[in-house]
């Protein structure tokens, strides 16, 4: 029994020696020793509190929230801001957090099924569906298939009508 | 004659009974064997692996191996069209239309020079440097409606895009960033929080040097005088009058450039940014200064 414990002690000595041989990479922030462990820093450095230099740092930091777009006189891209005129309608489509129109194309069945989905609809969703139906039926000879989900506030239309719907919504200033 | 009557009766009975034939005789004892009922799914069969051989043992040969024949893929000469394609530099596209939209939705501020950090800070353009992606390729979609006066720095641009930006009174530079520099630019806040010094930007690899020293491509290593000459040449080619930079009220913004070793505007390699105390630590050791300047 005594020899067994002696053996154990020898093994533990061996393992500690072995651990000291394991390579340690000190190159990253997480593996480097803490400042308290080092003591005094020997490398010479200076501390700058210049606000002129700090401006460059602030310029680099990514914003924590999506900025509110400032209204402009003319818009060259397809994007338009949501104006108060849209409140005249019976329905309201809330913009996304990126200030975009929530109209998306869902592609399923390996590219065979294309479904356009309009989200965040408030107010009279049925009136919007009827108006969209009247507009989109001219685009296609096929009968338009759509689904209205009043509770989840979305309309699904079978087929790719994303650009048509976005154009219609921007023309109506919704 | 009692027996005779019985025989007759038996014979008449036999006449009406069915004949003995193969259809109604019993098989020999032991001739019929009951089918074994296998256990498990599909009656305990081979699980689709077949009988005997590499199929059953599931030690599949490597793909294309033909058990000793010269394999098909080595049998004929071929040209390696896609040799090293997985190592080529990629530049994910950003269209001019998208850039115009980003400007109009105030995601990008044009009163300051636009570089890769400004584009990445919008959160609407993603870059994966570990997948050999080296920055923005500004494409010419929506080139006709672009009107913003910008000082933009991208990694790849076509001649038409350069012409469109310079026609609108802006300046474009193409600049190279190595993968370590790109990693710092992905999320600057995260990078500064790591507390490591800003690395120095590496010079482009040998096959990219030509592009980034070309004044026609507005390379950042090109001679500035030749670049201004090329601006004039492009204006004459596309037939527009080049707006004068010197008379521009935003002259300082439009002429702001980075050092070829610099990653961020206004911050030098070797500096450590402390976001908590809002201070910048600068090295003063000669060895370090020489390293970061080299």
């Amino acid at each position: 029994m005594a020899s067994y414990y002696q053996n154990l002690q020898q093994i533990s000595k061996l393992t500690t020696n072995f651990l000291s041989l394991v390579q340690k990479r000190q190159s990253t922030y997480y593996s480097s020793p803490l400042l308290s462990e080092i003591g005094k820093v020997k490398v010479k450095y200076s501390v700058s509190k210049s606000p002129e230099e700090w401006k460059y740092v602030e310029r680099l930091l990514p914003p924590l929230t999506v900025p509110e777009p400032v209204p402009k006189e003319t818009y060259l891209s397809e994007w338009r801001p949501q104006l108060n005129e849209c409140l005249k309608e019976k329905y309201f489509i809330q913009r996304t957090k990126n200030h975009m129109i929530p109209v998306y194309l869902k592609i399923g069945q390996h590219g065979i099924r294309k479904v356009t989905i309009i989200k965040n609809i408030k107010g009279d969703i049925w009136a919007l569906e009827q108006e969209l139906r009247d507009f989109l039926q001219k685009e296609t000879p096929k009968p338009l298939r759509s689904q209205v989900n009043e509770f989840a506030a979305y309309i699904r239309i079978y087929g790719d009508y994303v650009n048509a719907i976005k154009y219609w919504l921007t023309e109506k200033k919704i | 004659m009692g027996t005779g009557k019985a025989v007759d009766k038996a014979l008449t009975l036999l006449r009406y009974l069915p004949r003995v034939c193969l259809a109604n005789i019993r098989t020999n004892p032991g001739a019929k064997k009951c089918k074994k009922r296998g256990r498990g799914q599909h009656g305990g069969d081979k699980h689709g692996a077949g009988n005997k051989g590499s199929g059953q043992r599931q030690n599949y040969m490597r793909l294309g191996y033909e058990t000793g024949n010269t394999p098909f893929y080595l049998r004929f000469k071929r040209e390696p069209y896609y040799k090293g394609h997985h190592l080529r530099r990629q530049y994910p596209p950003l269209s001019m239309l998208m850039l115009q939209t980003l400007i109009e939705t105030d995601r990008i501020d044009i009163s300051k020079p636009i570089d890769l950090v400004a584009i990445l800070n919008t959160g609407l353009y993603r870059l994966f440097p570990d997948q050999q992606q080296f920055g923005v390729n500004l494409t010419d979609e929506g080139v006709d409606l672009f009107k913003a006066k910008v000082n933009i720095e991208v990694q790849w641009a076509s001649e038409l895009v350069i012409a469109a930006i310079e026609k609108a009174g802006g300046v474009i530079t193409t600049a190279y960033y190595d993968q370590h520099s790109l990693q710092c630019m992905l999320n600057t806040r995260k990078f500064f929080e790591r507390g490591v010094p800003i690395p120095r930007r590496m010079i482009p690899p040998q096959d990219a040097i030509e592009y980034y020293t070309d004044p026609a491509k507005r390379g950042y290593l090109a001679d500035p005088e030749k670049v201004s000459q090329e601006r004039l040449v492009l204006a004459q080619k596309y037939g527009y009058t080049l707006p004068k930079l010197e008379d521009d009220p935003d002259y300082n913004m439009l002429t702001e450039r980075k050092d070829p070793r610099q990653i961020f505007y206004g911050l030098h390699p070797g500096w450590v940014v402390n976001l908590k105390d809002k201070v910048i630590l600068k090295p003063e050791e000669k060895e370090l200064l020489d390293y970061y300047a080299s």
Side-chain angles (χ1 to χ4, degrees), chain A residues 29 44-46 48-49 53 59-60 62 70 72 76-77 98, chain B residues 104 106-107 121 145 147 188-189 194 265 279-280 282 284-285:
Chain A
Y29 169 77
K44 275 191 276 177
Y45 68 96
S46 63
S48 162
K49 289 182 181 176
E53 280 169 358
R59 200 163 105 177
L60 288 172
V70 180
K72 289 169 186 65
L76 298 164
S77 71
N98 286 328
Chain B
E104 284 177 3
D106 290 327
R107 303 301 282 267
N121 278 355
L145 52 80
K147 286 274 155 57
T188 43
R189 181 174 279 113
R194 283 182 68 206
Y265 280 110
V279 291
I280 298 169
K282 299 174 186 175
E284 285 192 338
E285 207 81 32

PDB file of all heavy atoms in Angstrom, chain A residues 29 44-46 48-49 53 59-60 62 70 72 76-77 98, chain B residues 104 106-107 121 145 147 188-189 194 265 279-280 282 284-285:
ATOM      1  N   TYR A  29      -4.807  38.650 -26.617  1.00  0.00           N
ATOM      2  CA  TYR A  29      -5.239  39.429 -25.463  1.00  0.00           C
ATOM      3  C   TYR A  29      -5.612  38.521 -24.292  1.00  0.00           C
ATOM      4  O   TYR A  29      -5.271  38.778 -23.148  1.00  0.00           O
ATOM      5  CB  TYR A  29      -6.437  40.264 -25.905  1.00  0.00           C
ATOM      6  CG  TYR A  29      -7.188  40.936 -24.806  1.00  0.00           C
ATOM      7  CD1 TYR A  29      -6.688  42.076 -24.200  1.00  0.00           C
ATOM      8  CD2 TYR A  29      -8.415  40.449 -24.379  1.00  0.00           C
ATOM      9  CE1 TYR A  29      -7.374  42.700 -23.206  1.00  0.00           C
ATOM     10  CE2 TYR A  29      -9.114  41.072 -23.381  1.00  0.00           C
ATOM     11  CZ  TYR A  29      -8.589  42.203 -22.801  1.00  0.00           C
ATOM     12  OH  TYR A  29      -9.284  42.819 -21.810  1.00  0.00           O
ATOM     13  N   LYS A  44       8.049  52.286 -22.947  1.00  0.00           N
ATOM     14  CA  LYS A  44       7.706  53.717 -22.872  1.00  0.00           C
ATOM     15  C   LYS A  44       6.495  54.009 -23.760  1.00  0.00           C
ATOM     16  O   LYS A  44       6.434  53.556 -24.899  1.00  0.00           O
ATOM     17  CB  LYS A  44       8.891  54.552 -23.327  1.00  0.00           C
ATOM     18  CG  LYS A  44       9.877  54.814 -22.189  1.00  0.00           C
ATOM     19  CD  LYS A  44      10.881  55.867 -22.606  1.00  0.00           C
ATOM     20  CE  LYS A  44      12.021  55.247 -23.391  1.00  0.00           C
ATOM     21  NZ  LYS A  44      12.992  56.207 -23.898  1.00  0.00           N
ATOM     22  N   TYR A  45       5.521  54.733 -23.206  1.00  0.00           N
ATOM     23  CA  TYR A  45       4.360  55.129 -24.007  1.00  0.00           C
ATOM     24  C   TYR A  45       3.829  56.444 -23.470  1.00  0.00           C
ATOM     25  O   TYR A  45       4.108  56.834 -22.330  1.00  0.00           O
ATOM     26  CB  TYR A  45       3.273  54.048 -23.977  1.00  0.00           C
ATOM     27  CG  TYR A  45       2.608  53.853 -22.638  1.00  0.00           C
ATOM     28  CD1 TYR A  45       1.397  54.478 -22.338  1.00  0.00           C
ATOM     29  CD2 TYR A  45       3.196  53.052 -21.667  1.00  0.00           C
ATOM     30  CE1 TYR A  45       0.793  54.307 -21.108  1.00  0.00           C
ATOM     31  CE2 TYR A  45       2.604  52.878 -20.435  1.00  0.00           C
ATOM     32  CZ  TYR A  45       1.401  53.509 -20.156  1.00  0.00           C
ATOM     33  OH  TYR A  45       0.805  53.336 -18.943  1.00  0.00           O
ATOM     34  N   SER A  46       3.063  57.128 -24.313  1.00  0.00           N
ATOM     35  CA  SER A  46       2.457  58.390 -23.877  1.00  0.00           C
ATOM     36  C   SER A  46       0.941  58.272 -23.974  1.00  0.00           C
ATOM     37  O   SER A  46       0.425  57.492 -24.777  1.00  0.00           O
ATOM     38  CB  SER A  46       2.951  59.542 -24.751  1.00  0.00           C
ATOM     39  OG  SER A  46       2.540  59.322 -26.074  1.00  0.00           O
ATOM     40  N   SER A  48      -2.564  60.186 -24.732  1.00  0.00           N
ATOM     41  CA  SER A  48      -3.098  61.375 -25.401  1.00  0.00           C
ATOM     42  C   SER A  48      -4.568  61.521 -25.072  1.00  0.00           C
ATOM     43  O   SER A  48      -5.345  60.578 -25.219  1.00  0.00           O
ATOM     44  CB  SER A  48      -2.896  61.243 -26.910  1.00  0.00           C
ATOM     45  OG  SER A  48      -3.737  62.146 -27.576  1.00  0.00           O
ATOM     46  N   LYS A  49      -4.943  62.723 -24.601  1.00  0.00           N
ATOM     47  CA  LYS A  49      -6.359  62.994 -24.336  1.00  0.00           C
ATOM     48  C   LYS A  49      -6.894  64.058 -25.290  1.00  0.00           C
ATOM     49  O   LYS A  49      -7.884  64.719 -24.994  1.00  0.00           O
ATOM     50  CB  LYS A  49      -6.536  63.454 -22.886  1.00  0.00           C
ATOM     51  CG  LYS A  49      -6.316  62.323 -21.890  1.00  0.00           C
ATOM     52  CD  LYS A  49      -6.537  62.785 -20.478  1.00  0.00           C
ATOM     53  CE  LYS A  49      -6.278  61.651 -19.519  1.00  0.00           C
ATOM     54  NZ  LYS A  49      -6.380  62.073 -18.126  1.00  0.00           N
ATOM     55  N   GLU A  53      -7.924  64.222 -31.754  1.00  0.00           N
ATOM     56  CA  GLU A  53      -7.667  62.828 -32.137  1.00  0.00           C
ATOM     57  C   GLU A  53      -8.850  61.941 -31.800  1.00  0.00           C
ATOM     58  O   GLU A  53      -9.141  60.981 -32.516  1.00  0.00           O
ATOM     59  CB  GLU A  53      -6.406  62.318 -31.421  1.00  0.00           C
ATOM     60  CG  GLU A  53      -5.134  62.772 -32.101  1.00  0.00           C
ATOM     61  CD  GLU A  53      -3.904  62.512 -31.293  1.00  0.00           C
ATOM     62  OE1 GLU A  53      -4.013  61.995 -30.160  1.00  0.00           O
ATOM     63  OE2 GLU A  53      -2.808  62.844 -31.774  1.00  0.00           O
ATOM     64  N   ARG A  59     -15.712  58.857 -35.006  1.00  0.00           N
ATOM     65  CA  ARG A  59     -16.147  58.721 -36.388  1.00  0.00           C
ATOM     66  C   ARG A  59     -16.173  57.252 -36.819  1.00  0.00           C
ATOM     67  O   ARG A  59     -16.972  56.858 -37.654  1.00  0.00           O
ATOM     68  CB  ARG A  59     -15.151  59.484 -37.236  1.00  0.00           C
ATOM     69  CG  ARG A  59     -15.616  59.875 -38.578  1.00  0.00           C
ATOM     70  CD  ARG A  59     -14.707  60.956 -39.090  1.00  0.00           C
ATOM     71  NE  ARG A  59     -13.795  60.439 -40.086  1.00  0.00           N
ATOM     72  CZ  ARG A  59     -12.923  61.190 -40.746  1.00  0.00           C
ATOM     73  NH1 ARG A  59     -12.814  62.463 -40.473  1.00  0.00           N
ATOM     74  NH2 ARG A  59     -12.150  60.659 -41.658  1.00  0.00           N
ATOM     75  N   LEU A  60     -15.301  56.464 -36.198  1.00  0.00           N
ATOM     76  CA  LEU A  60     -15.163  55.056 -36.600  1.00  0.00           C
ATOM     77  C   LEU A  60     -16.205  54.151 -35.957  1.00  0.00           C
ATOM     78  O   LEU A  60     -16.554  53.115 -36.507  1.00  0.00           O
ATOM     79  CB  LEU A  60     -13.782  54.541 -36.197  1.00  0.00           C
ATOM     80  CG  LEU A  60     -12.589  55.048 -36.977  1.00  0.00           C
ATOM     81  CD1 LEU A  60     -11.331  54.579 -36.299  1.00  0.00           C
ATOM     82  CD2 LEU A  60     -12.629  54.523 -38.391  1.00  0.00           C
ATOM     83  N   PRO A  62     -19.336  52.194 -34.851  1.00  0.00           N
ATOM     84  CA  PRO A  62     -20.626  51.980 -35.511  1.00  0.00           C
ATOM     85  C   PRO A  62     -21.772  52.487 -34.640  1.00  0.00           C
ATOM     86  O   PRO A  62     -21.727  52.355 -33.414  1.00  0.00           O
ATOM     87  CB  PRO A  62     -20.693  50.452 -35.677  1.00  0.00           C
ATOM     88  CG  PRO A  62     -19.722  49.910 -34.701  1.00  0.00           C
ATOM     89  CD  PRO A  62     -18.680  50.938 -34.468  1.00  0.00           C
ATOM     90  N   VAL A  70     -33.029  62.197 -42.431  1.00  0.00           N
ATOM     91  CA  VAL A  70     -33.414  63.613 -42.507  1.00  0.00           C
ATOM     92  C   VAL A  70     -34.129  63.830 -43.849  1.00  0.00           C
ATOM     93  O   VAL A  70     -33.637  63.374 -44.883  1.00  0.00           O
ATOM     94  CB  VAL A  70     -32.155  64.500 -42.412  1.00  0.00           C
ATOM     95  CG1 VAL A  70     -32.527  65.967 -42.488  1.00  0.00           C
ATOM     96  CG2 VAL A  70     -31.389  64.203 -41.132  1.00  0.00           C
ATOM     97  N   LYS A  72     -35.214  65.158 -47.358  1.00  0.00           N
ATOM     98  CA  LYS A  72     -34.451  65.845 -48.401  1.00  0.00           C
ATOM     99  C   LYS A  72     -35.386  66.375 -49.475  1.00  0.00           C
ATOM    100  O   LYS A  72     -36.544  65.949 -49.574  1.00  0.00           O
ATOM    101  CB  LYS A  72     -33.431  64.878 -49.010  1.00  0.00           C
ATOM    102  CG  LYS A  72     -32.313  64.573 -48.038  1.00  0.00           C
ATOM    103  CD  LYS A  72     -31.444  63.434 -48.491  1.00  0.00           C
ATOM    104  CE  LYS A  72     -30.436  63.083 -47.432  1.00  0.00           C
ATOM    105  NZ  LYS A  72     -31.046  62.560 -46.199  1.00  0.00           N
ATOM    106  N   LEU A  76     -33.123  60.504 -55.482  1.00  0.00           N
ATOM    107  CA  LEU A  76     -32.728  59.916 -56.767  1.00  0.00           C
ATOM    108  C   LEU A  76     -32.905  58.402 -56.766  1.00  0.00           C
ATOM    109  O   LEU A  76     -33.173  57.796 -57.787  1.00  0.00           O
ATOM    110  CB  LEU A  76     -31.276  60.276 -57.080  1.00  0.00           C
ATOM    111  CG  LEU A  76     -31.029  61.788 -57.224  1.00  0.00           C
ATOM    112  CD1 LEU A  76     -29.557  62.083 -57.144  1.00  0.00           C
ATOM    113  CD2 LEU A  76     -31.609  62.293 -58.531  1.00  0.00           C
ATOM    114  N   SER A  77     -32.763  57.809 -55.616  1.00  0.00           N
ATOM    115  CA  SER A  77     -32.964  56.357 -55.542  1.00  0.00           C
ATOM    116  C   SER A  77     -34.460  56.052 -55.461  1.00  0.00           C
ATOM    117  O   SER A  77     -35.285  56.968 -55.461  1.00  0.00           O
ATOM    118  CB  SER A  77     -32.239  55.787 -54.329  1.00  0.00           C
ATOM    119  OG  SER A  77     -32.900  56.193 -53.160  1.00  0.00           O
ATOM    120  N   ASN A  98     -35.290  49.557 -40.657  1.00  0.00           N
ATOM    121  CA  ASN A  98     -34.367  50.175 -41.598  1.00  0.00           C
ATOM    122  C   ASN A  98     -35.070  51.155 -42.530  1.00  0.00           C
ATOM    123  O   ASN A  98     -34.522  51.527 -43.567  1.00  0.00           O
ATOM    124  CB  ASN A  98     -33.655  49.096 -42.427  1.00  0.00           C
ATOM    125  CG  ASN A  98     -32.616  48.366 -41.615  1.00  0.00           C
ATOM    126  OD1 ASN A  98     -32.006  48.941 -40.731  1.00  0.00           O
ATOM    127  ND2 ASN A  98     -32.432  47.097 -41.912  1.00  0.00           N
TER     128      ASN A  98
ATOM    129  N   GLU B 104     -29.043  58.517 -49.037  1.00  0.00           N
ATOM    130  CA  GLU B 104     -30.333  59.190 -48.861  1.00  0.00           C
ATOM    131  C   GLU B 104     -31.041  58.781 -47.576  1.00  0.00           C
ATOM    132  O   GLU B 104     -31.843  59.535 -47.042  1.00  0.00           O
ATOM    133  CB  GLU B 104     -31.229  58.908 -50.073  1.00  0.00           C
ATOM    134  CG  GLU B 104     -30.795  59.736 -51.254  1.00  0.00           C
ATOM    135  CD  GLU B 104     -31.588  59.457 -52.498  1.00  0.00           C
ATOM    136  OE1 GLU B 104     -32.530  58.656 -52.448  1.00  0.00           O
ATOM    137  OE2 GLU B 104     -31.237  60.045 -53.533  1.00  0.00           O
ATOM    138  N   ASP B 106     -29.413  58.329 -44.902  1.00  0.00           N
ATOM    139  CA  ASP B 106     -28.478  58.807 -43.870  1.00  0.00           C
ATOM    140  C   ASP B 106     -27.737  57.679 -43.153  1.00  0.00           C
ATOM    141  O   ASP B 106     -27.418  57.789 -41.972  1.00  0.00           O
ATOM    142  CB  ASP B 106     -29.201  59.697 -42.853  1.00  0.00           C
ATOM    143  CG  ASP B 106     -29.593  61.022 -43.480  1.00  0.00           C
ATOM    144  OD1 ASP B 106     -28.850  61.490 -44.352  1.00  0.00           O
ATOM    145  OD2 ASP B 106     -30.648  61.562 -43.129  1.00  0.00           O
ATOM    146  N   ARG B 107     -27.499  56.613 -43.860  1.00  0.00           N
ATOM    147  CA  ARG B 107     -26.683  55.542 -43.263  1.00  0.00           C
ATOM    148  C   ARG B 107     -25.198  55.827 -43.483  1.00  0.00           C
ATOM    149  O   ARG B 107     -24.357  55.329 -42.773  1.00  0.00           O
ATOM    150  CB  ARG B 107     -27.042  54.177 -43.880  1.00  0.00           C
ATOM    151  CG  ARG B 107     -28.490  53.792 -43.754  1.00  0.00           C
ATOM    152  CD  ARG B 107     -28.951  53.732 -42.326  1.00  0.00           C
ATOM    153  NE  ARG B 107     -28.540  52.538 -41.632  1.00  0.00           N
ATOM    154  CZ  ARG B 107     -29.267  51.429 -41.540  1.00  0.00           C
ATOM    155  NH1 ARG B 107     -30.438  51.356 -42.117  1.00  0.00           N
ATOM    156  NH2 ARG B 107     -28.827  50.399 -40.843  1.00  0.00           N
ATOM    157  N   ASN B 121     -20.105  49.973 -41.249  1.00  0.00           N
ATOM    158  CA  ASN B 121     -20.850  50.476 -40.093  1.00  0.00           C
ATOM    159  C   ASN B 121     -22.342  50.638 -40.372  1.00  0.00           C
ATOM    160  O   ASN B 121     -23.122  50.741 -39.440  1.00  0.00           O
ATOM    161  CB  ASN B 121     -20.270  51.809 -39.643  1.00  0.00           C
ATOM    162  CG  ASN B 121     -19.054  51.624 -38.764  1.00  0.00           C
ATOM    163  OD1 ASN B 121     -18.691  50.503 -38.417  1.00  0.00           O
ATOM    164  ND2 ASN B 121     -18.406  52.703 -38.418  1.00  0.00           N
ATOM    165  N   LEU B 145     -28.081  57.640 -62.085  1.00  0.00           N
ATOM    166  CA  LEU B 145     -28.783  58.495 -61.131  1.00  0.00           C
ATOM    167  C   LEU B 145     -27.901  58.932 -59.958  1.00  0.00           C
ATOM    168  O   LEU B 145     -28.350  59.667 -59.093  1.00  0.00           O
ATOM    169  CB  LEU B 145     -30.059  57.795 -60.629  1.00  0.00           C
ATOM    170  CG  LEU B 145     -29.977  56.374 -60.079  1.00  0.00           C
ATOM    171  CD1 LEU B 145     -29.494  56.364 -58.657  1.00  0.00           C
ATOM    172  CD2 LEU B 145     -31.341  55.731 -60.160  1.00  0.00           C
ATOM    173  N   LYS B 147     -25.602  61.102 -57.891  1.00  0.00           N
ATOM    174  CA  LYS B 147     -25.325  62.547 -57.953  1.00  0.00           C
ATOM    175  C   LYS B 147     -24.525  63.048 -56.750  1.00  0.00           C
ATOM    176  O   LYS B 147     -24.231  64.227 -56.670  1.00  0.00           O
ATOM    177  CB  LYS B 147     -26.652  63.315 -58.015  1.00  0.00           C
ATOM    178  CG  LYS B 147     -27.360  63.224 -59.355  1.00  0.00           C
ATOM    179  CD  LYS B 147     -26.870  64.267 -60.331  1.00  0.00           C
ATOM    180  CE  LYS B 147     -27.071  63.855 -61.768  1.00  0.00           C
ATOM    181  NZ  LYS B 147     -28.454  63.554 -62.112  1.00  0.00           N
ATOM    182  N   THR B 188     -15.320  48.116 -35.375  1.00  0.00           N
ATOM    183  CA  THR B 188     -14.244  48.881 -34.738  1.00  0.00           C
ATOM    184  C   THR B 188     -14.396  48.924 -33.218  1.00  0.00           C
ATOM    185  O   THR B 188     -13.400  48.897 -32.501  1.00  0.00           O
ATOM    186  CB  THR B 188     -14.212  50.309 -35.289  1.00  0.00           C
ATOM    187  OG1 THR B 188     -15.536  50.784 -35.373  1.00  0.00           O
ATOM    188  CG2 THR B 188     -13.562  50.361 -36.633  1.00  0.00           C
ATOM    189  N   ARG B 189     -15.644  48.959 -32.761  1.00  0.00           N
ATOM    190  CA  ARG B 189     -15.845  48.998 -31.308  1.00  0.00           C
ATOM    191  C   ARG B 189     -15.283  47.727 -30.667  1.00  0.00           C
ATOM    192  O   ARG B 189     -14.551  47.786 -29.678  1.00  0.00           O
ATOM    193  CB  ARG B 189     -17.336  49.150 -30.973  1.00  0.00           C
ATOM    194  CG  ARG B 189     -17.592  49.214 -29.476  1.00  0.00           C
ATOM    195  CD  ARG B 189     -19.019  49.500 -29.115  1.00  0.00           C
ATOM    196  NE  ARG B 189     -19.336  50.913 -29.197  1.00  0.00           N
ATOM    197  CZ  ARG B 189     -20.165  51.440 -30.068  1.00  0.00           C
ATOM    198  NH1 ARG B 189     -20.776  50.674 -30.930  1.00  0.00           N
ATOM    199  NH2 ARG B 189     -20.420  52.731 -30.081  1.00  0.00           N
ATOM    200  N   ARG B 194     -10.752  45.150 -27.518  1.00  0.00           N
ATOM    201  CA  ARG B 194      -9.761  44.092 -27.308  1.00  0.00           C
ATOM    202  C   ARG B 194      -8.474  44.633 -26.686  1.00  0.00           C
ATOM    203  O   ARG B 194      -7.708  43.888 -26.104  1.00  0.00           O
ATOM    204  CB  ARG B 194      -9.415  43.407 -28.647  1.00  0.00           C
ATOM    205  CG  ARG B 194     -10.458  42.443 -29.115  1.00  0.00           C
ATOM    206  CD  ARG B 194     -10.023  41.794 -30.389  1.00  0.00           C
ATOM    207  NE  ARG B 194      -8.878  40.916 -30.164  1.00  0.00           N
ATOM    208  CZ  ARG B 194      -7.984  40.602 -31.084  1.00  0.00           C
ATOM    209  NH1 ARG B 194      -8.072  41.119 -32.288  1.00  0.00           N
ATOM    210  NH2 ARG B 194      -6.994  39.797 -30.806  1.00  0.00           N
ATOM    211  N   TYR B 265      -8.662  56.503 -40.616  1.00  0.00           N
ATOM    212  CA  TYR B 265      -8.344  57.918 -40.796  1.00  0.00           C
ATOM    213  C   TYR B 265      -7.924  58.516 -39.452  1.00  0.00           C
ATOM    214  O   TYR B 265      -8.592  58.313 -38.436  1.00  0.00           O
ATOM    215  CB  TYR B 265      -9.564  58.680 -41.314  1.00  0.00           C
ATOM    216  CG  TYR B 265      -9.797  58.532 -42.794  1.00  0.00           C
ATOM    217  CD1 TYR B 265     -10.866  57.804 -43.279  1.00  0.00           C
ATOM    218  CD2 TYR B 265      -8.943  59.147 -43.703  1.00  0.00           C
ATOM    219  CE1 TYR B 265     -11.090  57.674 -44.639  1.00  0.00           C
ATOM    220  CE2 TYR B 265      -9.152  59.021 -45.071  1.00  0.00           C
ATOM    221  CZ  TYR B 265     -10.224  58.287 -45.529  1.00  0.00           C
ATOM    222  OH  TYR B 265     -10.436  58.161 -46.867  1.00  0.00           O
ATOM    223  N   VAL B 279      -9.010  57.683 -23.971  1.00  0.00           N
ATOM    224  CA  VAL B 279      -7.642  58.136 -24.222  1.00  0.00           C
ATOM    225  C   VAL B 279      -7.013  57.245 -25.293  1.00  0.00           C
ATOM    226  O   VAL B 279      -7.476  56.141 -25.554  1.00  0.00           O
ATOM    227  CB  VAL B 279      -6.759  58.102 -22.945  1.00  0.00           C
ATOM    228  CG1 VAL B 279      -7.192  59.148 -21.959  1.00  0.00           C
ATOM    229  CG2 VAL B 279      -6.735  56.723 -22.329  1.00  0.00           C
ATOM    230  N   ILE B 280      -5.949  57.783 -25.888  1.00  0.00           N
ATOM    231  CA  ILE B 280      -5.189  57.016 -26.883  1.00  0.00           C
ATOM    232  C   ILE B 280      -3.780  56.836 -26.359  1.00  0.00           C
ATOM    233  O   ILE B 280      -3.135  57.802 -25.921  1.00  0.00           O
ATOM    234  CB  ILE B 280      -5.177  57.753 -28.241  1.00  0.00           C
ATOM    235  CG1 ILE B 280      -6.599  57.896 -28.789  1.00  0.00           C
ATOM    236  CG2 ILE B 280      -4.317  57.007 -29.246  1.00  0.00           C
ATOM    237  CD1 ILE B 280      -6.720  58.816 -29.966  1.00  0.00           C
ATOM    238  N   LYS B 282       0.053  55.904 -27.040  1.00  0.00           N
ATOM    239  CA  LYS B 282       0.972  55.882 -28.187  1.00  0.00           C
ATOM    240  C   LYS B 282       2.317  55.333 -27.750  1.00  0.00           C
ATOM    241  O   LYS B 282       2.834  55.713 -26.699  1.00  0.00           O
ATOM    242  CB  LYS B 282       1.166  57.305 -28.727  1.00  0.00           C
ATOM    243  CG  LYS B 282      -0.110  57.945 -29.208  1.00  0.00           C
ATOM    244  CD  LYS B 282       0.143  59.370 -29.590  1.00  0.00           C
ATOM    245  CE  LYS B 282      -1.141  60.077 -29.939  1.00  0.00           C
ATOM    246  NZ  LYS B 282      -0.920  61.501 -30.193  1.00  0.00           N
ATOM    247  N   GLU B 284       6.327  54.920 -27.499  1.00  0.00           N
ATOM    248  CA  GLU B 284       7.442  55.864 -27.640  1.00  0.00           C
ATOM    249  C   GLU B 284       8.777  55.149 -27.766  1.00  0.00           C
ATOM    250  O   GLU B 284       9.812  55.789 -27.946  1.00  0.00           O
ATOM    251  CB  GLU B 284       7.462  56.835 -26.454  1.00  0.00           C
ATOM    252  CG  GLU B 284       6.370  57.880 -26.570  1.00  0.00           C
ATOM    253  CD  GLU B 284       6.524  59.018 -25.593  1.00  0.00           C
ATOM    254  OE1 GLU B 284       7.203  58.808 -24.561  1.00  0.00           O
ATOM    255  OE2 GLU B 284       5.973  60.092 -25.842  1.00  0.00           O
ATOM    256  N   GLU B 285       8.741  53.829 -27.598  1.00  0.00           N
ATOM    257  CA  GLU B 285       9.965  53.041 -27.737  1.00  0.00           C
ATOM    258  C   GLU B 285      10.435  53.119 -29.190  1.00  0.00           C
ATOM    259  O   GLU B 285       9.618  52.980 -30.113  1.00  0.00           O
ATOM    260  CB  GLU B 285       9.672  51.591 -27.367  1.00  0.00           C
ATOM    261  CG  GLU B 285      10.842  50.813 -26.856  1.00  0.00           C
ATOM    262  CD  GLU B 285      11.139  51.074 -25.387  1.00  0.00           C
ATOM    263  OE1 GLU B 285      10.182  51.339 -24.617  1.00  0.00           O
ATOM    264  OE2 GLU B 285      12.306  51.011 -25.032  1.00  0.00           O
TER     265      GLU B 285
END
